[in-house]
Amino acid sequence: MLGDFGGGPFGIYVHVPFCATRCGYCDFNTYTAGELGTSASPQSWLAALKGELATAAAVFGGLPTAQPEVGTVFVGGGTPSLLGGDGLAEVLAAIRENFTLAADAEVTTESNPESTSPRFFERLREGGFTRVSLGMQSAAEHVLQVLDRTHTPGRAVAAAREARAAGFEHVNLDLIYGTPGETDADLDASLDAVLAAGVDHVSAYSLIVEDGTALARRVRRGELPAPDDDVLAARYERIDARLTAAGLTWYEVSNWAASDSAACRHNLGYWDGGDWLGAGPGAHSHLGGVRWWNVKHPARYADRVARGGLPAAGWEALTAAEQHTERVMLAVRLRTGLPLADLDTPGRAAAARVIADGLATDAADRLVLTDRGRLLADAVVRDLLG
């Protein structure tokens, strides 16, 4: 089933499937305590995670190419901060027991501001974490209510400052823009709060109404309007202008960093076509052109781990054409751009048209999106792939 290490970056993603409440816009593989009942708990999840890590390390150790050091770790969810600082430190300790972390490894955890504290961040630093990503979404209370977020508007900024005080050099705040009812003034207030927090990384995502979510049902019933594409484009331009003026530079269409060292190396590993192990319920992995994904429900995941072997629900070997498609889709979104040499003859012709239309430039034989091109990144990709 497995491929082999491709010689690029290697990271580990850990999926924590627990949330205190379910946000109305979220379609991630997450569960509240009420939804799980007695079928699974953080304790049973952690025991299963340790089993999966041990099994994966043994399987990887039998591959033809030597397993590289782990350059990045990213704990996401869900709400990893519900594990507490001690729980997250135990997760990282389990990774260290089975894999070799690089001396300069980037180790990130996502956190909900409401489940953090000064001691939480101190414990993360003691445990070996180097980076924190906080879900802020908005500084406007009515926007947070539409999103079903539980934290108060000022808590994310306070949490970011607590993380910096605990010694975290790299702190990210996530924003969501285009929520029904959000105004330009609301967005400006959110950006003011982000910049006042002194973080060195910002992620900003347009609201997407995912099928099957509570938000989608509200939009379908006419209770809320669907996000407007023109409004989303104007909001993106507003965000980019403010962050750029403050010294944060875009390095991926939805991400800005104060320096090269502030960019999220783990996510760059995905975008640059690296390999990674995804551990936990529903997590996806990639190794040498082979992708597999775990069973989703925490109880079934724990049961599969207990039976031995990797808890995969399915896998696929990507064809050369599929790998090319993914390469184009991801590289185009990066500030470093897509090497024109990676395109076939029709693709290079399409690139020339994209450049002529002002959506990209030819920077040292790499196609790099212009400001306008970033707004139309998906359309550019479609053109390049024909």
Side-chain angles (χ1 to χ4, degrees):
M1 178 183 88
L2 297 183
D4 196 6
F5 293 103
F10 175 58
I12 294 179
Y13 171 78
V14 174
H15 187 71
V16 181
F18 308 108
C19 282
T21 60
R22 181 173 295 280
C23 297
Y25 62 91
C26 180
D27 71 338
F28 294 166
N29 185 44
T30 61
Y31 306 84
T32 64
E35 290 169 339
L36 287 173
T38 59
S39 67
S41 68
Q43 292 74 31
S44 64
W45 166 85
L46 182 56
L49 177 73
K50 291 178 178 179
E52 182 186 8
L53 292 171
T55 299
V59 171
F60 288 179
L63 295 176
T65 304
Q67 179 181 303
E69 292 183 328
V70 178
T72 63
V73 174
F74 195 105
V75 184
T79 310
S81 47
L82 288 178
L83 300 177
D86 289 341
L88 285 166
E90 192 170 354
V91 168
L92 185 55
I95 293 173
R96 283 200 177 103
E97 288 174 8
N98 294 284
F99 297 87
T100 301
L101 262 66
D104 64 344
E106 173 195 87
V107 184
T108 304
T109 184
E110 294 179 334
S111 298
N112 186 314
E114 287 296 330
S115 51
T116 65
S117 67
R119 178 55 189 156
F120 169 82
F121 293 117
E122 291 168 2
R123 185 67 186 94
L124 289 185
R125 288 292 293 149
E126 293 167 358
F129 284 80
T130 67
R131 188 173 180 276
V132 174
S133 181
L134 295 160
M136 176 178 172
Q137 321 315 350
S138 176
E141 186 169 5
H142 70 97
V143 172
L144 294 176
Q145 289 175 349
V146 171
L147 296 173
D148 293 324
R149 297 288 294 183
T150 58
H151 64 267
T152 54
R155 177 57 202 154
V157 171
R161 289 172 174 161
E162 291 167 2
R164 296 300 294 268
F168 280 96
E169 179 182 359
H170 302 306
V171 180
N172 172 67
L173 283 173
D174 275 351
L175 289 176
I176 289 179
Y177 61 92
T179 301
E182 179 190 60
T183 65
D184 287 346
D186 292 330
L187 180 60
D188 286 342
S190 297
L191 292 168
D192 289 343
V194 165
L195 297 176
V199 298
D200 67 345
H201 191 286
V202 178
S203 301
Y205 305 102
S206 64
L207 180 66
I208 298 175
V209 180
E210 301 285 2
D211 290 341
T213 62
L215 180 62
R217 291 189 289 273
R218 295 184 68 186
V219 169
R220 188 170 58 249
R221 291 194 297 262
E223 298 174 13
L224 295 171
D228 180 272
D229 287 343
D230 291 337
V231 171
L232 293 176
R235 295 272 160 80
Y236 179 87
E237 292 176 325
R238 202 178 191 95
I239 291 168
D240 183 56
R242 288 289 306 278
L243 295 181
T244 300
L248 284 85
T249 303
W250 79 278
Y251 69 96
E252 191 274 342
V253 168
S254 298
N255 291 272
W256 291 257
S259 64
D260 289 345
S261 63
C264 180
R265 285 165 46 199
H266 185 84
N267 286 341
L268 282 169
Y270 297 148
W271 299 325
D272 286 335
D275 293 319
W276 69 91
L277 168 67
H284 285 230
S285 301
H286 174 268
L287 196 64
V290 176
R291 181 183 292 125
W292 67 97
W293 48 94
N294 288 347
V295 294
K296 286 188 171 183
H297 195 279
R300 292 198 300 275
Y301 163 75
D303 180 64
R304 288 288 294 274
V305 172
R307 295 183 189 181
L310 294 174
W315 67 280
E316 61 181 348
L318 300 176
T319 66
E322 289 170 336
Q323 292 185 57
H324 172 71
T325 295
E326 292 200 357
R327 169 67 176 154
V328 171
M329 289 175 62
L330 297 173
V332 162
R333 295 179 61 87
L334 294 173
R335 189 180 183 89
T336 50
L338 171 71
L340 292 171
D342 286 358
L343 296 171
D344 55 17
T345 299
R348 286 193 291 274
R353 294 193 298 271
V354 167
I355 291 169
D357 289 341
L359 300 180
T361 61
D362 180 348
D365 293 325
R366 300 178 78 93
L367 183 142
V368 178
L369 294 176
T370 61
D371 291 348
R372 179 165 167 261
R374 278 187 280 160
L375 295 174
L376 299 169
D378 291 343
V380 170
V381 168
R382 288 194 296 271
D383 286 345
L384 297 176
L385 294 174

